[in-house]
Amino acid sequence: MSLRPDLIECWLFRVSPPASSASPADLRADAERLEILLIRRAPHRIFPGLWQCVTGGVEAGERIPEAAMREVREETGLGPDEIEAFYDLDLVNQFHEPSVDGIVTSAVFAVRLRTDAEPRLSSEHDGAHWHDLDEAHQQVIWPGYRTAIERIRDDLSEPERAGWFELTLDGQRAGSE
């Protein structure tokens, strides 16, 4: 039996060009080049001022990875032209939400963007900022958010390891027939 999540979370990150003579394939050796985009919830929303990743609901009949890509477009204006890779972080967050008097689940994804990609925010957010990994880890509030940032650091900063998490933009396992 499968379980459909209530929400998706999608972390946007970019890897800036090497500052040293390090090989572009050796991202772990120059991990400070990896930046995470945090967006700030607008004052009229629940949790105003919270710095977060792209989040949103899964619509009826929508595939879960499609929901992640739709929310990225809606909340940041970023699409296929700015995306270098799409990943399933193999992570599901669960938390109690008093407004629904229940446990909410969220499937977690990540998108690697071109280095020149910049968000164009929707009315849901009033700020955006690129942070290095340590700054992003300290800036976010929820434990599940910190775990997602750790997964990006540990699993997506090595190209050979990242390949196991990669999806096509339509949500299929990359390299699958």
Side-chain angles (χ1 to χ4, degrees):
M1 177 172 99
S2 63
L3 171 70
R4 285 187 57 83
D6 304 289
L7 303 170
I8 62 85
E9 298 173 12
C10 195
W11 292 87
L12 306 181
F13 71 100
R14 65 185 182 189
V15 180
S16 58
S20 66
S21 60
S23 163
D26 189 12
L27 299 179
R28 185 175 281 302
D30 201 8
E32 69 275 359
R33 295 180 300 114
L34 198 149
E35 297 176 300
I36 305 281
L37 179 68
L38 295 181
I39 52 180
R40 186 178 54 217
R41 292 179 72 90
H44 64 278
R45 302 197 58 221
I46 186 173
F47 303 124
L50 179 77
W51 288 95
Q52 66 175 157
C53 62
V54 168
T55 61
V58 180
E59 295 177 356
E62 185 175 42
R63 293 187 65 247
I64 298 161
E66 289 171 347
M69 296 307 294
R70 175 184 49 77
E71 288 291 342
V72 167
R73 279 188 312 277
E74 289 176 4
E75 294 188 11
T76 67
L78 297 167
D81 290 342
E82 293 91 4
I83 295 172
E84 291 183 343
F86 179 40
Y87 303 97
D88 180 341
L89 286 183
D90 193 28
L91 177 65
V92 174
N93 288 327
Q94 294 184 316
F95 55 93
H96 171 254
E97 176 49 52
S99 67
V100 297
D101 191 30
I103 302 299
V104 174
T105 60
S106 183
V108 187
F109 298 89
V111 167
R112 188 180 73 228
L113 298 167
R114 289 189 350 226
T115 57
D116 61 347
E118 289 296 337
R120 298 168 299 283
L121 298 179
S122 72
S123 62
E124 295 180 29
H125 298 91
D126 66 358
H129 190 269
W130 290 100
H131 295 270
D132 71 30
L133 281 169
D134 290 338
E135 290 172 341
H137 196 266
Q138 288 189 324
Q139 181 71 33
V140 298
I141 299 299
W142 309 127
Y145 283 9
R146 288 191 297 277
T147 299
I149 291 168
E150 292 162 6
R151 292 271 177 108
I152 292 168
R153 178 198 65 209
D154 296 344
D155 296 324
L156 304 185
S157 65
E158 274 185 48
E160 286 122 18
R161 181 176 288 241
W164 292 101
F165 297 88
E166 191 166 357
L167 301 174
T168 62
L169 293 186
D170 63 355
Q172 302 300 317
R173 287 274 167 218
S176 65
E177 304 290 311

